[in-house]
Amino acid sequence: MYIFDNRIRIEDKDKLNEYLCAYRYNTSGLSFCSLYMWCNVNYFSWLEHGDYVLISGMSYLDPDENKLLPFMFPPLTGTGEYDKKRLAASLHYAKDIFEEKGHSFNIRLLPKHMIPIIEDACPGEFEFIDDRPNYDYVYLRENLATFAGRAYSSKRNHLNYFMRNYSYTWRDISLDMCDEIMEFLKRFSEHKDDKDEGAEILNLEQKAMLDVFSNIDKLDTVGGGIYIDGVLQAVAIGSRSNPNTVVEHIEKANSSIRGLYQLINKEFAMRLPEEIVYINREEDMGLENLRKSKLSLNPHMMIEKYIARMI
């Protein structure tokens, strides 16, 4: 299942961050916390070639294919720049490895602003396919922290209902919350029918969270949980992807409690460091209900992503 030689370990954090932080990719998947969180679920592996780090994975990224598909993330530069000849050499090197293992070579989760970089390195060798299910939804932190304005009137109504009827406490994320959060996620999944939209993804998230919590003190995570009558009822966890942006990896709440989702939205945003301007709430993965929910929060912008396939 692993394409490249090195699996992602917590010990790789500093090394990979040299590349992840050298260039503004702006996508939710290209942060160390995200890569580590999903490394065992999606079989992420990596190697260095020339000036670049190449990361591969296996994932259900194509709704038309009911199987794991191998792919490569956009090549990561350690210098902040891309040299077209050296990049071409690294792309062809990766292509050879994919083909040796019986797979066609493709790059996925490629931000739109990197298409000219790939095309310049390998002119005419790739076709670029719009990947709408994997667009990132990016919000202004201030909007989610205040729910001010007409666009958020329905959110405020739900939030006000909660505030009139419940009392709660917030607790910052910490290692000693691991058992509580895993139990909460288990309860959350029990309310999902196996045929429900997103049920499989929820099960994968549970597996991914085990890896996060085993090293949460080393992953620079932010977020916390909401307790009602001493019971954890909502949780949100994120990590910084660049100096002014946090990616929210996990957000779950007891949907039977009206206004709780709005509260976890607000509390997560309010408690971020002042320098954070944007919250990237990741993709909708083509799930209709999730797309509707993310659009209802009025994204400030979308990070468009593409699939690059060799012709």
Side-chain angles (χ1 to χ4, degrees):
M1 288 285 193
Y2 293 93
I3 302 296
F4 298 145
D5 294 336
N6 306 306
R7 301 185 187 183
I8 293 177
R9 307 166 303 155
I10 195 66
E11 292 81 7
D12 299 321
K13 177 186 171 185
D14 290 343
K15 178 66 176 180
L16 291 179
N17 269 339
E18 291 178 15
Y19 290 83
L20 291 165
C21 299
Y23 181 87
R24 287 288 186 97
Y25 300 100
N26 296 329
T27 59
S28 59
L30 289 177
S31 69
F32 183 79
C33 185
S34 180
L35 291 169
Y36 185 75
M37 176 176 173
W38 293 100
C39 64
N40 292 325
V41 172
N42 294 109
Y43 304 98
F44 290 152
S45 59
W46 67 281
L47 58 79
E48 288 183 271
H49 183 267
D51 295 336
Y52 306 102
V53 158
L54 311 178
I55 301 175
S56 69
M58 307 281 287
S59 186
Y60 293 103
L61 288 172
D62 192 334
D64 297 324
E65 296 281 351
N66 188 26
K67 60 182 179 181
L68 283 170
L69 296 172
F71 72 98
M72 193 175 84
F73 282 96
L76 307 180
T77 173
T79 66
E81 298 179 350
Y82 285 89
D83 178 272
K84 63 181 181 180
K85 290 184 179 179
R86 293 177 180 176
L87 177 57
S90 291
L91 289 171
H92 291 140
Y93 180 77
K95 174 180 177 290
D96 289 343
I97 293 175
F98 269 64
E99 292 181 346
E100 285 172 7
K101 297 193 174 185
H103 303 298
S104 58
F105 179 61
N106 65 100
I107 302 169
R108 292 180 177 242
L109 307 177
L110 177 72
K112 184 177 181 179
H113 67 269
M114 287 193 68
I115 290 178
I117 294 172
I118 302 298
E119 180 63 24
D120 193 37
C122 300
E125 294 186 41
F126 286 92
E127 62 173 342
F128 299 95
I129 304 160
D130 183 80
D131 189 13
R132 175 61 180 86
N134 285 295
Y135 281 18
D136 282 338
Y137 291 74
V138 180
Y139 305 81
L140 290 174
R141 180 182 73 90
E142 183 179 2
N143 286 348
L144 300 188
T146 63
F147 285 145
R150 181 180 299 178
Y152 292 98
S153 60
S154 66
K155 306 297 181 186
R156 290 196 303 275
N157 289 339
H158 289 301
L159 182 60
N160 290 338
Y161 176 89
F162 179 94
M163 300 303 287
R164 289 194 304 268
N165 290 278
Y166 297 92
S167 296
Y168 74 96
T169 57
W170 169 273
R171 186 175 172 190
D172 289 335
I173 198 73
S174 62
L175 186 60
D176 60 4
M177 292 173 66
C178 178
D179 290 343
E180 283 183 291
I181 291 180
M182 296 310 300
E183 178 60 31
F184 167 76
L185 292 175
K186 182 180 178 181
R187 296 199 316 269
F188 189 93
S189 65
E190 286 173 351
H191 293 291
K192 286 273 188 180
D193 187 280
D194 288 341
K195 297 179 181 179
D196 284 352
E197 183 183 54
E200 182 177 0
I201 292 170
L202 182 61
N203 291 332
L204 292 175
E205 283 181 337
Q206 285 185 262
K207 295 178 183 178
M209 287 305 298
L210 286 172
D211 292 316
V212 169
F213 270 107
S214 63
N215 287 285
I216 200 165
D217 55 332
K218 302 174 185 176
L219 286 172
D220 304 320
T221 53
V222 293
I226 290 173
Y227 291 77
I228 300 172
D229 296 329
V231 178
L232 182 65
Q233 297 287 8
V235 65
I237 300 170
S239 67
R240 194 177 300 224
S241 62
N242 62 53
N244 67 0
T245 304
V246 158
V247 175
E248 189 176 22
H249 304 296
I250 292 288
E251 181 188 276
K252 304 294 179 192
N254 184 340
S255 59
S256 68
I257 301 175
R258 180 183 171 188
L260 185 54
Y261 262 110
Q262 287 72 34
L263 182 63
I264 193 68
N265 287 167
K266 183 179 177 71
E267 285 282 350
F268 179 80
M270 284 174 55
R271 294 172 183 273
L272 293 175
E274 290 185 3
E275 66 269 23
I276 299 300
V277 178
Y278 303 108
I279 299 175
N280 184 325
R281 289 172 54 86
E282 303 188 329
E283 314 94 334
D284 62 40
M285 296 166 287
L287 302 177
E288 183 178 351
N289 288 339
L290 188 56
R291 180 170 296 186
K292 182 178 178 181
S293 174
K294 289 180 184 286
L295 288 172
S296 75
L297 285 170
N298 302 295
H300 175 68
M301 60 182 169
M302 307 288 287
I303 304 298
E304 299 179 31
K305 300 181 202 171
Y306 284 74
I307 301 166
R309 289 179 179 159
M310 277 200 153
I311 300 172

